[in-house]
Each structure stands twice: as structure tokens, then as C-alpha cells.
Amino acid sequence: MSALPPGSTIGILGGGQLGRMLAVAAAQLGYRTQILAPDAESVAAQTASSFTRADYHSRIILDELAASADVVTYEFENIAIEPIQYLATKLPVHPAPAALEVAQDRATEKSFVDGLGGRTAPWRKVTTLAELKQALAEIGAPAILKTLRLGYDGKGQVRLHIVDDAESAWAEIGQRPAILEGFVTFSHEFSIILARGADGAIVSYPPPWNQHVDGILDRSSLPAPAEIARHWTEAAALAGRVADTLGYVGVLTLEFFATEQGPVFNEMAPRVHNSGHWTIEGAVTSQFENHIRAICGLPLGDTGLMAPRVEMENLIGEDANRWAEILAEPGAHLHLYGKTVRPGRKMGHVTRLAR
């Protein structure tokens, strides 16, 4: 693809903080952004050039977006595939719909990665209570039951401590199609974040150590400990195969568990990712800028670290009220997303660079 010149318009589906930070990165490179989202409160609209509040399924709205934008991207994967497929018939859409189709269905995602030689936890697709009980007989407990679609930050999943938990777990997820995953013994969680251009060029970031609290990412830190570093090459190679197989354009994230057997794939996100927020100040080129570069056909930027040690801490709920304290802290970079404070809500993050 030929490079889109500055002054072109990027359509972004989704009105959350990822869209907000994409719009900031786009503006720094001279691009206009148009947000399309149904939300009354769109924090992405606060930084974008324009905002349309409408349903993603309106063909009239989609036609208007296609007429005004030069390229379209999206900031989250839990969006209906049909609007993405429709827009892709009108103008370039990155990442392509195929990436969404894989990422939106956990069984499809696991099968896809298995087929590329990735290491996954033992898993089975289950659509009935009887299938769940059979899967438990094969995999054993403890295990985790995850809805086939939707769910993030620990939502849409329940842990089964013993085989007899099957009925209560099935009820808890609303008797919806799901996958059962065998329990993985791991020392650390980490992610591989890469950017791939339309020409096939790939750059990837050093893997951060991701620590979670109540299923929500609490902090990401670099450099990663040795238990993660020894898996870097294998995990990054798998991420590259995923991107190449999908003909991916943009930023792609794969999450892993560090185990004695090697990196175990957890899930993928066809977008910029919370565990990459540290890149805004902590890397030469942020994940958001590299996503804009990739979808606009620009050369991809350097992913090297800007400091010997980098840590990103999520600000959840009332944590955001620590803003004055954080701003007084040397080496701290505060990002607030402009949201109304609610318990459990991602309100912002702070990145700390240690010299």
C-alpha cells in the first residue's frame, strides 16, 4: 500500500481509552481522526478530530464514515464482525476482518494457535452441561470455564476447583457455549506486542512482566525477569507466525504464561493493549504510534527502551484520585482517561522510568 499523507483521516471504531490514545498518536503525525461509537460518554471523542455517536450497524453511518475516512481501524475486539466486513468492501480496514473472526471465538483462537505450533493449555469446546462434564473427565480439575465469546478483565469465566463444580459453573456463565481450559502452573504472565506493516515488516517490543489483581492488569514492568526472558524468542516467533498467517496490519498482542515447559499461549488481542501502555514514554516509539504508522503505510518505529527500568501501573477506580501525589513523583508520567470514577473501572495509568 502507498503511504497515506498527513492530513488524511483515520476512522476509529470504539470510544474508549485505546481510541483516545490512538487519536493522540495520530494527531502527532498530522492525521485527523473520526470516532464512531454508540456510547454517550466517549473518552476517545475528547482527543479526536470528530465524533459520531451511532450504532455500528447503521449502513447510512458506515457509508458516511467510508466516504470521509481514508482508512479504518478499531480499538477493541468485542465488536460485531458485520460492520467491519461491510467497511472492508469500501476502504482499507486494518486489522482485516479475519483477525477479528479468530480473536472473537476462543475455540477458533485456540485451534488457530495450535495449528501454528503454539503451546496451549489442554482445552475442550463445550456447548452443554453434558459436554462440560465429559471435558472435566478428560482434563480434570482445577480448570477454568470461559465463555466462547466476549468477556475480558476476568469477566465471563469461572474457576472449577473440583469436578463436582460443573453444574454451578455452567449456571454461572449463563449456560452459554464455552471452552474448558486445564489449569496451567506458571511463574509469570507476559505479553508479546508487535506491529506489522502491509509490506510484512515486523517490529516487536521487549516482553513486559504482567501482574494481575482480581483478573485485571495491575502493572507491567521491564526488563522482564529471567523466567520470562528465556521464553522471549519462542513467544515472539509464534506472534510473528500469527501476524503473517493473518496478513495482519497494525499492532497485535499475544498473552502468555511462563512455564517450565515453555511459553503457554493464553489469548490474543487484535489491537493495541493495556500491557503496552508503558511504551508511550518507555519506548522510542509507542504502540499507538506504531499502529498508526502500520495502518497508514509508514515505516515502523524503533521499539527500544528509553530507560533501564520501566513500570506501568493501572489506576483502577479511586486510584485516580491520587493524581496530585503522582504528579509530584519524580520520573512518573500520569495519564487520566477522562472517565467518571467507578469501582473496578480503568481510570488511567502511570508510567515510571528509572534511570
Side-chain angles (χ1 to χ4, degrees), residues 81-92:
I81 192 71
E82 292 81 12
I84 304 295
Q85 292 172 328
Y86 179 75
L87 284 169
T89 67
K90 305 286 184 178
L91 77 169

Side-chain angles (χ1 to χ4, degrees), residues 224-292:
E227 293 88 344
I228 291 173
R230 68 186 180 92
H231 297 319
W232 183 357
T233 299
E234 183 179 345
L238 174 62
R241 292 198 299 276
V242 169
D244 285 340
T245 303
L246 292 172
Y248 197 92
V249 176
V251 165
L252 171 69
T253 306
L254 269 66
E255 295 182 81
F256 292 89
F257 300 115
T259 77
E260 291 184 357
Q261 293 72 39
V264 172
F265 169 80
N266 181 25
E267 60 186 23
M268 64 175 273
R271 54 171 171 82
V272 289
H273 196 258
N274 193 178
S275 66
H277 289 357
W278 63 269
T279 63
I280 297 175
E281 290 86 19
V284 177
T285 311
S286 78
Q287 64 166 345
F288 301 99
E289 181 177 330
N290 260 332
H291 186 78
I292 299 301

